[in-house]
Amino acid sequence: MYPVTIDMDETLAAEHLYTFIGAPKGTVNVCAMPDQEAGVVLKVWIAPGFPIEKIPSSFEGFEVKIEFRPRFKAGANA
Amino acid sequence: MSNNHVSGACNYAPANLPIVAPGILDVSPVNPPPFTIGYHSRQLDMNLGDPTVVDTGRNQDAAIFKLAMPQFVSSMQHNFYDTPASALPLAAGMVVEKVGRSSGHTQGRVISAVTGPLDVAYSAPQYNFSGIAYFERMFLVHGLNDRFSEGGDSGSLVVHTDANGVKHAVGIVVAGADDSSAPGGKLSLIMPIQPILTSLGVTLVSGHN
């Protein structure tokens, strides 16, 4: 499995998780996000079709949540 | 300075293209007549395509134009505050504010950095263009009480006030997404300003008019 580190800075943990997942560029993003229940969670944004079995349920002491990536749009009608 | 997708037409604006204010979308009988505020100068790399086959690592959505008549332009962000002369790195947890074309003056909090290339959908219909660009080192902002930004706010300067009450530029608004957990239902995507200033070789102007 992967190493567990307590008091890990959550942004660093997000970067570690991104590396751990090892997805092709552009298919996954990881964000350390505030969460009402857990305090901070590592959100893994995935592109449709990405195999979620590659993603752990917790990492370096943080709960991991998987979501489809939001659709970011730029422009006056975004 | 603004976004490439605002004043640079997603790489399709030719050099010296007039930039008008109010922008074309705001031309109406109830607004002041448009005038040429400047001329498109250049933009940073914004390579379209999939990051597995295209070098998107240097992508920045930023462009600059040369002011036509600097004496008639102010560095004030509407009448709320002056453009700071200094810039700081963006960081999760920062309280930030901006003044934008659509949502005006708003405050928010940086909730996270985004790890990995993130896709943003663009369109410049006047050039029959639409496409996806990927960016790294982006940040997410939630509004404090309502949305931080909305469509049409792109290019707004994002500012942070430090513990001594001094304002610093930290980013520019690039895009947004729907987010049911966010105040106002909007998640804002912010690009750090320091790398943009460095890449363009420019500094911020404060105290002008």
Side-chain angles (χ1 to χ4, degrees):
Chain A
M1 295 295 285
Y2 40 87
V4 175
T5 307
I6 56 172
D7 297 330
M8 170 64 71
D9 173 77
E10 53 260 34
T11 299
L12 208 52
E15 294 173 1
H16 290 173
L17 177 56
Y18 178 78
T19 303
F20 174 82
I21 295 169
K25 281 184 176 180
T27 55
V28 163
N29 300 98
V30 183
C31 307
M33 303 269 256
D35 182 84
Q36 284 191 334
E37 295 172 358
V40 174
V41 298
L42 300 181
K43 279 197 181 174
V44 179
W45 287 345
I46 60 171
F50 185 82
I52 60 172
E53 57 268 23
K54 290 187 172 184
I55 303 170
S57 58
S58 65
F59 189 82
E60 293 184 349
F62 295 98
E63 181 183 348
V64 175
K65 290 187 175 179
I66 304 169
E67 297 178 353
F68 284 119
R69 183 159 52 200
R71 295 170 58 88
F72 284 96
K73 291 188 287 186
N77 299 315
Chain B
M1 185 175 74
S2 188
N3 292 127
N4 184 346
H5 80 266
V6 173
S7 63
C10 299
N11 295 333
Y12 283 90
N16 299 315
L17 180 75
I19 310 295
V20 297
I24 296 299
L25 293 175
D26 293 326
V27 173
S28 90
V30 299
N31 282 335
F35 66 97
T36 299
I37 191 171
Y39 299 91
H40 175 62
S41 176
R42 57 197 168 96
Q43 65 280 325
L44 296 179
D45 284 349
M46 194 167 93
N47 296 320
L48 303 174
D50 193 274
T52 58
V53 291
V54 173
D55 181 7
T56 59
R58 292 185 303 164
N59 276 0
Q60 306 266 26
D61 185 354
I64 54 173
F65 55 90
K66 184 175 176 59
L67 291 173
M69 293 179 286
Q71 67 272 29
F72 295 131
V73 177
S74 170
S75 59
M76 284 293 291
Q77 301 287 321
H78 202 271
N79 56 359
F80 292 97
Y81 48 83
D82 196 6
T83 297
S86 60
L88 287 178
L90 264 170
M94 267 184 176
V95 173
V96 293
E97 59 189 311
K98 70 101 186 70
V99 181
R101 168 262 193 188
S102 301
S103 60
H105 180 226
T106 60
Q107 292 182 304
R109 184 182 299 276
V110 181
I111 59 167
S112 182
V114 181
T115 304
L118 181 65
D119 57 321
V120 176
Y122 287 92
S123 75
Q126 69 273 38
Y127 295 99
N128 198 25
F129 163 78
S130 65
I132 303 286
Y134 285 78
F135 298 92
E136 302 195 28
R137 299 173 295 278
M138 302 288 267
F139 286 79
L140 306 171
V141 170
H142 276 177
L144 288 189
N145 302 303
D146 198 350
R147 79 273 185 265
F148 182 68
S149 67
E150 59 188 60
D153 282 331
S154 290
S156 302
L157 184 69
V158 179
V159 168
H160 168 69
T161 303
D162 69 18
N164 297 317
V166 179
K167 291 188 187 305
H168 307 273
V170 291
I172 57 174
V173 175
V174 169
D178 294 333
D179 180 356
S180 60
S181 71
K186 283 284 186 184
L187 181 61
S188 299
L189 192 63
I190 311 299
M191 185 169 284
I193 194 144
Q194 275 193 328
I196 293 172
L197 296 173
T198 300
S199 298
L200 286 169
V202 298
T203 55
L204 295 165
V205 174
S206 191
H208 182 69
N209 293 334

